[in-house]
Amino acid sequence: MELSTEHQQVADMARRFANEQIRPDAERLDREEVFAGDIYKAMGENGLFGITVPQTDGGAGLDALAYSIVMEELSRGYASIADQCGLVELVTTLLCTHGSAAQKAQWIGPIIRAEQRAAYCITEAGAGSDMSGVKTVAVRRGAGWALSGSKLWIHNAPVADVAFVLARTDPQAGKRGMGIFIVDCTRPGVARGPAEHKLGQRSSQVGELHFENVELPADALLGTAGRGFHMMMSVLEKGRVGIASLAVGILQAALEASVEQAKLRQQFGQAIAQFQGIQFMLADMAKDTQAARLLARSAAGLLDAGADATAAASMAKCFAADAAVAHASNAVQIFGGSGYIRGYEVERLYRDAKITQIYEGTNQVQRIIIARKLLHG
């Protein structure tokens, strides 16, 4: 897929940012498991948040293809940083699509400028892939709401200023009885659990958020009560394109590191790049990286065209995530013993890749979605 001049400029800008501000600090951020506050602020200053948000709302006003490109380039630097871009994209898309004028004015600008950190709160102990299992509830209290429940494994929970929370407004109405609430995390009744220690993407802060009779004003409800499930589902295709592109960034980083190492590492008196077994590993890595990239960008193109991107987004996410796990493992193999040692990039890439098969819908769920589209249209 040949990029337009504008999209190539976006790619160049994002890659330059990754090379200069992300890659040099990735190993330390992973080792110390700390939130990348300075990089987060710089992303806001450089317009790397709210890629598809209209300029009238303070965003870059670009398309889903540009978002896919930015996610790939940031992830090539460090997937934990790309995660921040993806999170902001989802919550600002919700605001742009369903928010009132007052909600947009209050939240979009500060989030895009990195003045406010957002959390996207769906998952619970009994509600992961199955969002219909959500038990967090919001009940009417006067003109407003009272929110109670707990969310776990929430991205940015330990550092969030504002949370977008999926909760039940009518326990008897199933999927049609949910709403999304915008919750200021300084409100009484909001509590955080400790940051989780994860296998990979360790700079991304993940934890629990607890809500105990949190009193919310009427305008904390995003959109319409009863439509929360459908609103969350409406951004999943863009989210899956984002994760597919993030996985492509991991693939690209693994490929570049593996090619360099194959030329440098000597065994039996020659560079291991001379061995056909290694050449085949590199060839497979290159073709799957390109295939994953094209799947992600094709799905983004469908989103931009307003077409049905359900199957395409699931294919992209599933293929790219599986490829990232497989080829990050191959990169470790090419590095030999050193690839198994902390501090080497490919060791981190191997750990970072695994979650791409799990979040934004497991790859098993993606296969179900693809099969349903094949069989039922």
PDB file of all heavy atoms in Angstrom, residues 171-197:
ATOM      1  N   PRO A 171     -30.609  -3.470  35.817  1.00  0.00           N
ATOM      2  CA  PRO A 171     -30.131  -4.855  35.910  1.00  0.00           C
ATOM      3  C   PRO A 171     -31.017  -5.862  35.186  1.00  0.00           C
ATOM      4  O   PRO A 171     -30.565  -6.971  34.877  1.00  0.00           O
ATOM      5  CB  PRO A 171     -30.132  -5.117  37.415  1.00  0.00           C
ATOM      6  CG  PRO A 171     -30.027  -3.766  38.045  1.00  0.00           C
ATOM      7  CD  PRO A 171     -30.788  -2.858  37.141  1.00  0.00           C
ATOM      8  N   GLN A 172     -32.255  -5.504  34.895  1.00  0.00           N
ATOM      9  CA  GLN A 172     -33.173  -6.439  34.247  1.00  0.00           C
ATOM     10  C   GLN A 172     -33.113  -6.372  32.720  1.00  0.00           C
ATOM     11  O   GLN A 172     -33.730  -7.198  32.044  1.00  0.00           O
ATOM     12  CB  GLN A 172     -34.613  -6.145  34.702  1.00  0.00           C
ATOM     13  CG  GLN A 172     -34.802  -6.114  36.216  1.00  0.00           C
ATOM     14  CD  GLN A 172     -34.322  -7.384  36.895  1.00  0.00           C
ATOM     15  OE1 GLN A 172     -34.604  -8.492  36.427  1.00  0.00           O
ATOM     16  NE2 GLN A 172     -33.588  -7.235  37.989  1.00  0.00           N
ATOM     17  N   ALA A 173     -32.403  -5.375  32.186  1.00  0.00           N
ATOM     18  CA  ALA A 173     -32.457  -5.137  30.736  1.00  0.00           C
ATOM     19  C   ALA A 173     -31.280  -5.710  29.968  1.00  0.00           C
ATOM     20  O   ALA A 173     -31.155  -5.476  28.759  1.00  0.00           O
ATOM     21  CB  ALA A 173     -32.564  -3.632  30.466  1.00  0.00           C
ATOM     22  N   GLY A 174     -30.414  -6.470  30.613  1.00  0.00           N
ATOM     23  CA  GLY A 174     -29.289  -7.084  29.918  1.00  0.00           C
ATOM     24  C   GLY A 174     -28.387  -6.065  29.254  1.00  0.00           C
ATOM     25  O   GLY A 174     -28.064  -5.026  29.845  1.00  0.00           O
ATOM     26  N   LYS A 175     -27.987  -6.334  28.008  1.00  0.00           N
ATOM     27  CA  LYS A 175     -27.090  -5.439  27.287  1.00  0.00           C
ATOM     28  C   LYS A 175     -27.723  -4.076  27.032  1.00  0.00           C
ATOM     29  O   LYS A 175     -27.009  -3.095  26.792  1.00  0.00           O
ATOM     30  CB  LYS A 175     -26.675  -6.074  25.954  1.00  0.00           C
ATOM     31  CG  LYS A 175     -25.845  -7.342  26.102  1.00  0.00           C
ATOM     32  CD  LYS A 175     -25.537  -7.951  24.750  1.00  0.00           C
ATOM     33  CE  LYS A 175     -24.731  -9.237  24.885  1.00  0.00           C
ATOM     34  NZ  LYS A 175     -24.460  -9.868  23.568  1.00  0.00           N
ATOM     35  N   ARG A 176     -29.038  -4.015  27.067  1.00  0.00           N
ATOM     36  CA  ARG A 176     -29.730  -2.745  26.825  1.00  0.00           C
ATOM     37  C   ARG A 176     -29.917  -1.936  28.112  1.00  0.00           C
ATOM     38  O   ARG A 176     -30.612  -0.918  28.101  1.00  0.00           O
ATOM     39  CB  ARG A 176     -31.075  -3.002  26.152  1.00  0.00           C
ATOM     40  CG  ARG A 176     -30.956  -3.550  24.744  1.00  0.00           C
ATOM     41  CD  ARG A 176     -32.319  -3.810  24.122  1.00  0.00           C
ATOM     42  NE  ARG A 176     -32.198  -4.211  22.725  1.00  0.00           N
ATOM     43  CZ  ARG A 176     -31.929  -5.452  22.325  1.00  0.00           C
ATOM     44  NH1 ARG A 176     -31.749  -6.403  23.218  1.00  0.00           N
ATOM     45  NH2 ARG A 176     -31.835  -5.740  21.036  1.00  0.00           N
ATOM     46  N   GLY A 177     -29.317  -2.389  29.183  1.00  0.00           N
ATOM     47  CA  GLY A 177     -29.460  -1.690  30.456  1.00  0.00           C
ATOM     48  C   GLY A 177     -28.139  -1.219  31.020  1.00  0.00           C
ATOM     49  O   GLY A 177     -27.871  -1.352  32.214  1.00  0.00           O
ATOM     50  N   MET A 178     -27.265  -0.666  30.169  1.00  0.00           N
ATOM     51  CA  MET A 178     -25.949  -0.193  30.607  1.00  0.00           C
ATOM     52  C   MET A 178     -25.729   1.255  30.178  1.00  0.00           C
ATOM     53  O   MET A 178     -26.352   1.741  29.224  1.00  0.00           O
ATOM     54  CB  MET A 178     -24.825  -1.062  30.022  1.00  0.00           C
ATOM     55  CG  MET A 178     -24.859  -2.509  30.441  1.00  0.00           C
ATOM     56  SD  MET A 178     -23.405  -3.405  29.825  1.00  0.00           S
ATOM     57  CE  MET A 178     -23.862  -5.084  30.241  1.00  0.00           C
ATOM     58  N   GLY A 179     -24.846   1.924  30.888  1.00  0.00           N
ATOM     59  CA  GLY A 179     -24.459   3.276  30.531  1.00  0.00           C
ATOM     60  C   GLY A 179     -22.968   3.474  30.744  1.00  0.00           C
ATOM     61  O   GLY A 179     -22.322   2.705  31.466  1.00  0.00           O
ATOM     62  N   ILE A 180     -22.403   4.473  30.095  1.00  0.00           N
ATOM     63  CA  ILE A 180     -21.001   4.845  30.303  1.00  0.00           C
ATOM     64  C   ILE A 180     -20.989   6.135  31.108  1.00  0.00           C
ATOM     65  O   ILE A 180     -21.665   7.110  30.763  1.00  0.00           O
ATOM     66  CB  ILE A 180     -20.277   5.050  28.962  1.00  0.00           C
ATOM     67  CG1 ILE A 180     -20.264   3.752  28.161  1.00  0.00           C
ATOM     68  CG2 ILE A 180     -18.841   5.547  29.191  1.00  0.00           C
ATOM     69  CD1 ILE A 180     -19.702   3.914  26.746  1.00  0.00           C
ATOM     70  N   PHE A 181     -20.200   6.138  32.184  1.00  0.00           N
ATOM     71  CA  PHE A 181     -20.138   7.289  33.073  1.00  0.00           C
ATOM     72  C   PHE A 181     -18.726   7.864  33.101  1.00  0.00           C
ATOM     73  O   PHE A 181     -17.742   7.118  33.158  1.00  0.00           O
ATOM     74  CB  PHE A 181     -20.584   6.890  34.483  1.00  0.00           C
ATOM     75  CG  PHE A 181     -22.041   6.528  34.547  1.00  0.00           C
ATOM     76  CD1 PHE A 181     -22.449   5.230  34.265  1.00  0.00           C
ATOM     77  CD2 PHE A 181     -22.993   7.480  34.838  1.00  0.00           C
ATOM     78  CE1 PHE A 181     -23.797   4.894  34.282  1.00  0.00           C
ATOM     79  CE2 PHE A 181     -24.352   7.155  34.863  1.00  0.00           C
ATOM     80  CZ  PHE A 181     -24.744   5.854  34.588  1.00  0.00           C
ATOM     81  N   ILE A 182     -18.650   9.177  33.041  1.00  0.00           N
ATOM     82  CA  ILE A 182     -17.376   9.890  33.117  1.00  0.00           C
ATOM     83  C   ILE A 182     -17.150  10.243  34.579  1.00  0.00           C
ATOM     84  O   ILE A 182     -17.898  11.036  35.165  1.00  0.00           O
ATOM     85  CB  ILE A 182     -17.387  11.157  32.250  1.00  0.00           C
ATOM     86  CG1 ILE A 182     -17.825  10.831  30.820  1.00  0.00           C
ATOM     87  CG2 ILE A 182     -16.009  11.810  32.249  1.00  0.00           C
ATOM     88  CD1 ILE A 182     -18.039  12.052  29.949  1.00  0.00           C
ATOM     89  N   VAL A 183     -16.120   9.654  35.185  1.00  0.00           N
ATOM     90  CA  VAL A 183     -15.921   9.756  36.626  1.00  0.00           C
ATOM     91  C   VAL A 183     -14.607  10.464  36.929  1.00  0.00           C
ATOM     92  O   VAL A 183     -13.526   9.984  36.551  1.00  0.00           O
ATOM     93  CB  VAL A 183     -15.916   8.358  37.279  1.00  0.00           C
ATOM     94  CG1 VAL A 183     -15.753   8.478  38.794  1.00  0.00           C
ATOM     95  CG2 VAL A 183     -17.188   7.591  36.922  1.00  0.00           C
ATOM     96  N   ASP A 184     -14.694  11.583  37.592  1.00  0.00           N
ATOM     97  CA  ASP A 184     -13.514  12.271  38.114  1.00  0.00           C
ATOM     98  C   ASP A 184     -12.944  11.410  39.231  1.00  0.00           C
ATOM     99  O   ASP A 184     -13.619  11.127  40.228  1.00  0.00           O
ATOM    100  CB  ASP A 184     -13.931  13.651  38.645  1.00  0.00           C
ATOM    101  CG  ASP A 184     -12.747  14.475  39.141  1.00  0.00           C
ATOM    102  OD1 ASP A 184     -11.728  13.882  39.532  1.00  0.00           O
ATOM    103  OD2 ASP A 184     -12.859  15.710  39.174  1.00  0.00           O
ATOM    104  N   CYS A 185     -11.700  10.960  39.080  1.00  0.00           N
ATOM    105  CA  CYS A 185     -11.124  10.003  40.030  1.00  0.00           C
ATOM    106  C   CYS A 185     -10.802  10.610  41.393  1.00  0.00           C
ATOM    107  O   CYS A 185     -10.386   9.876  42.305  1.00  0.00           O
ATOM    108  CB  CYS A 185      -9.873   9.365  39.422  1.00  0.00           C
ATOM    109  SG  CYS A 185     -10.238   8.262  38.035  1.00  0.00           S
ATOM    110  N   THR A 186     -10.992  11.911  41.557  1.00  0.00           N
ATOM    111  CA  THR A 186     -10.810  12.532  42.879  1.00  0.00           C
ATOM    112  C   THR A 186     -12.105  12.538  43.689  1.00  0.00           C
ATOM    113  O   THR A 186     -12.106  12.980  44.847  1.00  0.00           O
ATOM    114  CB  THR A 186     -10.302  13.980  42.734  1.00  0.00           C
ATOM    115  OG1 THR A 186     -11.300  14.778  42.072  1.00  0.00           O
ATOM    116  CG2 THR A 186      -8.999  14.020  41.949  1.00  0.00           C
ATOM    117  N   ARG A 187     -13.202  12.055  43.124  1.00  0.00           N
ATOM    118  CA  ARG A 187     -14.471  12.055  43.848  1.00  0.00           C
ATOM    119  C   ARG A 187     -14.431  11.108  45.043  1.00  0.00           C
ATOM    120  O   ARG A 187     -13.811  10.044  44.980  1.00  0.00           O
ATOM    121  CB  ARG A 187     -15.623  11.645  42.916  1.00  0.00           C
ATOM    122  CG  ARG A 187     -16.081  12.754  41.995  1.00  0.00           C
ATOM    123  CD  ARG A 187     -17.350  12.370  41.247  1.00  0.00           C
ATOM    124  NE  ARG A 187     -17.863  13.529  40.530  1.00  0.00           N
ATOM    125  CZ  ARG A 187     -18.673  14.439  41.056  1.00  0.00           C
ATOM    126  NH1 ARG A 187     -19.081  14.309  42.306  1.00  0.00           N
ATOM    127  NH2 ARG A 187     -19.088  15.463  40.345  1.00  0.00           N
ATOM    128  N   PRO A 188     -15.107  11.470  46.139  1.00  0.00           N
ATOM    129  CA  PRO A 188     -15.202  10.562  47.294  1.00  0.00           C
ATOM    130  C   PRO A 188     -15.812   9.231  46.872  1.00  0.00           C
ATOM    131  O   PRO A 188     -16.767   9.188  46.089  1.00  0.00           O
ATOM    132  CB  PRO A 188     -16.135  11.321  48.251  1.00  0.00           C
ATOM    133  CG  PRO A 188     -16.010  12.752  47.869  1.00  0.00           C
ATOM    134  CD  PRO A 188     -15.793  12.757  46.375  1.00  0.00           C
ATOM    135  N   GLY A 189     -15.228   8.151  47.382  1.00  0.00           N
ATOM    136  CA  GLY A 189     -15.706   6.818  47.049  1.00  0.00           C
ATOM    137  C   GLY A 189     -14.920   6.117  45.966  1.00  0.00           C
ATOM    138  O   GLY A 189     -15.102   4.917  45.746  1.00  0.00           O
ATOM    139  N   VAL A 190     -14.030   6.849  45.268  1.00  0.00           N
ATOM    140  CA  VAL A 190     -13.167   6.229  44.260  1.00  0.00           C
ATOM    141  C   VAL A 190     -11.863   5.797  44.931  1.00  0.00           C
ATOM    142  O   VAL A 190     -11.214   6.602  45.610  1.00  0.00           O
ATOM    143  CB  VAL A 190     -12.863   7.189  43.101  1.00  0.00           C
ATOM    144  CG1 VAL A 190     -11.937   6.513  42.085  1.00  0.00           C
ATOM    145  CG2 VAL A 190     -14.143   7.652  42.428  1.00  0.00           C
ATOM    146  N   ALA A 191     -11.504   4.534  44.778  1.00  0.00           N
ATOM    147  CA  ALA A 191     -10.266   4.013  45.358  1.00  0.00           C
ATOM    148  C   ALA A 191      -9.516   3.209  44.311  1.00  0.00           C
ATOM    149  O   ALA A 191     -10.113   2.605  43.416  1.00  0.00           O
ATOM    150  CB  ALA A 191     -10.564   3.148  46.584  1.00  0.00           C
ATOM    151  N   ARG A 192      -8.202   3.204  44.439  1.00  0.00           N
ATOM    152  CA  ARG A 192      -7.343   2.479  43.489  1.00  0.00           C
ATOM    153  C   ARG A 192      -6.675   1.294  44.189  1.00  0.00           C
ATOM    154  O   ARG A 192      -6.272   1.396  45.346  1.00  0.00           O
ATOM    155  CB  ARG A 192      -6.237   3.385  42.949  1.00  0.00           C
ATOM    156  CG  ARG A 192      -6.697   4.705  42.371  1.00  0.00           C
ATOM    157  CD  ARG A 192      -5.469   5.555  42.036  1.00  0.00           C
ATOM    158  NE  ARG A 192      -5.820   6.962  41.899  1.00  0.00           N
ATOM    159  CZ  ARG A 192      -6.100   7.556  40.735  1.00  0.00           C
ATOM    160  NH1 ARG A 192      -6.052   6.853  39.625  1.00  0.00           N
ATOM    161  NH2 ARG A 192      -6.403   8.827  40.688  1.00  0.00           N
ATOM    162  N   GLY A 193      -6.524   0.215  43.452  1.00  0.00           N
ATOM    163  CA  GLY A 193      -5.692  -0.879  43.910  1.00  0.00           C
ATOM    164  C   GLY A 193      -4.252  -0.633  43.510  1.00  0.00           C
ATOM    165  O   GLY A 193      -3.945   0.319  42.778  1.00  0.00           O
ATOM    166  N   PRO A 194      -3.326  -1.465  43.970  1.00  0.00           N
ATOM    167  CA  PRO A 194      -1.915  -1.292  43.589  1.00  0.00           C
ATOM    168  C   PRO A 194      -1.696  -1.605  42.121  1.00  0.00           C
ATOM    169  O   PRO A 194      -2.485  -2.330  41.499  1.00  0.00           O
ATOM    170  CB  PRO A 194      -1.192  -2.307  44.483  1.00  0.00           C
ATOM    171  CG  PRO A 194      -2.219  -3.356  44.756  1.00  0.00           C
ATOM    172  CD  PRO A 194      -3.538  -2.639  44.834  1.00  0.00           C
ATOM    173  N   ALA A 195      -0.636  -1.046  41.571  1.00  0.00           N
ATOM    174  CA  ALA A 195      -0.268  -1.354  40.181  1.00  0.00           C
ATOM    175  C   ALA A 195       0.128  -2.822  40.085  1.00  0.00           C
ATOM    176  O   ALA A 195       0.853  -3.346  40.942  1.00  0.00           O
ATOM    177  CB  ALA A 195       0.868  -0.459  39.733  1.00  0.00           C
ATOM    178  N   GLU A 196      -0.344  -3.485  39.046  1.00  0.00           N
ATOM    179  CA  GLU A 196       0.001  -4.889  38.828  1.00  0.00           C
ATOM    180  C   GLU A 196       1.407  -4.999  38.247  1.00  0.00           C
ATOM    181  O   GLU A 196       1.871  -4.125  37.516  1.00  0.00           O
ATOM    182  CB  GLU A 196      -1.001  -5.534  37.865  1.00  0.00           C
ATOM    183  CG  GLU A 196      -2.443  -5.511  38.326  1.00  0.00           C
ATOM    184  CD  GLU A 196      -2.743  -6.492  39.432  1.00  0.00           C
ATOM    185  OE1 GLU A 196      -1.824  -7.252  39.832  1.00  0.00           O
ATOM    186  OE2 GLU A 196      -3.896  -6.520  39.903  1.00  0.00           O
ATOM    187  N   HIS A 197       2.090  -6.107  38.560  1.00  0.00           N
ATOM    188  CA  HIS A 197       3.398  -6.397  37.981  1.00  0.00           C
ATOM    189  C   HIS A 197       3.175  -7.391  36.846  1.00  0.00           C
ATOM    190  O   HIS A 197       2.813  -8.544  37.075  1.00  0.00           O
ATOM    191  CB  HIS A 197       4.345  -6.951  39.040  1.00  0.00           C
ATOM    192  CG  HIS A 197       4.621  -5.980  40.146  1.00  0.00           C
ATOM    193  ND1 HIS A 197       5.459  -4.890  39.995  1.00  0.00           N
ATOM    194  CD2 HIS A 197       4.138  -5.920  41.408  1.00  0.00           C
ATOM    195  CE1 HIS A 197       5.488  -4.198  41.119  1.00  0.00           C
ATOM    196  NE2 HIS A 197       4.701  -4.796  41.994  1.00  0.00           N
TER     197      HIS A 197
END
